[in-house]
Amino acid sequence: MEMQELVRSRVEARLSTRKRKVTYVVIKRVTDIVISFSLLLLFSPLLWFISYRLQKKEGAPIFDRNTCIGKGGDSFIMYSFRIMTNPSMVIRSIPLNPELAVYSSRSTSSCILTPTGIWLKRYHLYMLPRLWNVLKGEMSLVGPTPNIIEGYKSSLNRLQVKPGITGYAQVFGNKESSEQFRKNADQFYIENCSYKLDLILLLQALKKFFKNNPKSF
């Protein structure tokens, strides 16, 4: 009887954990849809203004397109406002899915921040188009650092969750943080993601945004 009770308790605990995980994923997705749609609607005048300014001041392209690896290993195009000069149009990389081939400016030593790009980067506004990726379900508001296909190296664990606009590595690190720190931070999030952790990271990201730390990324 004791063995049967032990087996039953373990099965129930496993089912309970699986149920909580499914509930978390569903609620997280609903939250992503509601917040990303609301922010896109709220910031639509700002998005139009930035697009108009980039077109007039720096010219095309307005958006920087990076082919990234998402959940399950699927590739997608991550959008950002272009903040660097664009001396030539080149193929950034050969994506896993030929249908996703895009042309973009490659960031090299010859590329520098544009006048518009300076304040877009300072206030992190260049990331606003990524809300569209969140709404489409390719990214999440909170998650690991997005992996660009060019130079792509990652563990299979990273493919279990969607990359995020912000996350543990972005909140507790900065642009001077080592690559190993970012990998460890992303792995920590993947192993411990929860409603509470997501809320903490969102609040910390907002706090970091309003502090406007030039070393943040």
Side-chain angles (χ1 to χ4, degrees), residues 99-161:
E99 295 180 359
L100 296 179
V102 296
Y103 292 86
S104 179
S105 59
R106 183 185 298 273
S107 296
T108 65
S109 57
S110 63
C111 295
I112 60 173
L113 281 171
T114 63
T116 304
I118 291 174
W119 62 269
L120 287 179
K121 184 174 179 61
R122 180 178 182 182
Y123 296 103
H124 307 282
L125 296 177
Y126 71 97
M127 294 191 292
L128 281 177
R130 297 180 191 179
L131 290 170
W132 176 244
N133 292 115
V134 175
L135 187 61
K136 290 170 64 180
E138 298 164 338
M139 295 180 65
S140 181
L141 292 172
V142 181
T145 309
N147 261 334
I148 298 175
I149 285 181
E150 184 178 358
Y152 171 68
K153 291 181 181 180
S154 182
S155 65
L156 292 177
N157 284 341
R158 289 182 57 87
L159 306 181
Q160 297 176 5
V161 295

Side-chain angles (χ1 to χ4, degrees), residues 2 7 10 24 30 37 44 54 68-69 73 80 89 94 112 143 145 152 154 156 160 169-170 177 182-183 188 193 196:
E2 290 182 1
V7 172
R10 288 183 176 179
Y24 165 69
V30 172
F37 178 79
S44 55
L54 283 170
C68 297
I69 293 292
S80 305
M89 299 298 293
I94 302 177
I112 60 173
T145 309
Y152 171 68
S154 182
L156 292 177
Q160 297 176 5
Q170 294 92 326
S177 300
R182 299 185 190 189
K183 289 181 180 179
F188 176 84
C193 55
K196 182 178 180 180

Side-chain angles (χ1 to χ4, degrees), residues 36-60:
S36 61
F37 178 79
S38 299
L39 291 178
L40 283 170
L41 193 62
L42 178 65
F43 291 130
S44 55
L46 179 59
L47 290 166
W48 181 89
F49 171 76
I50 293 173
S51 300
Y52 176 79
R53 181 183 172 91
L54 283 170
Q55 182 66 41
K56 285 293 184 180
K57 295 289 185 179
E58 282 82 32

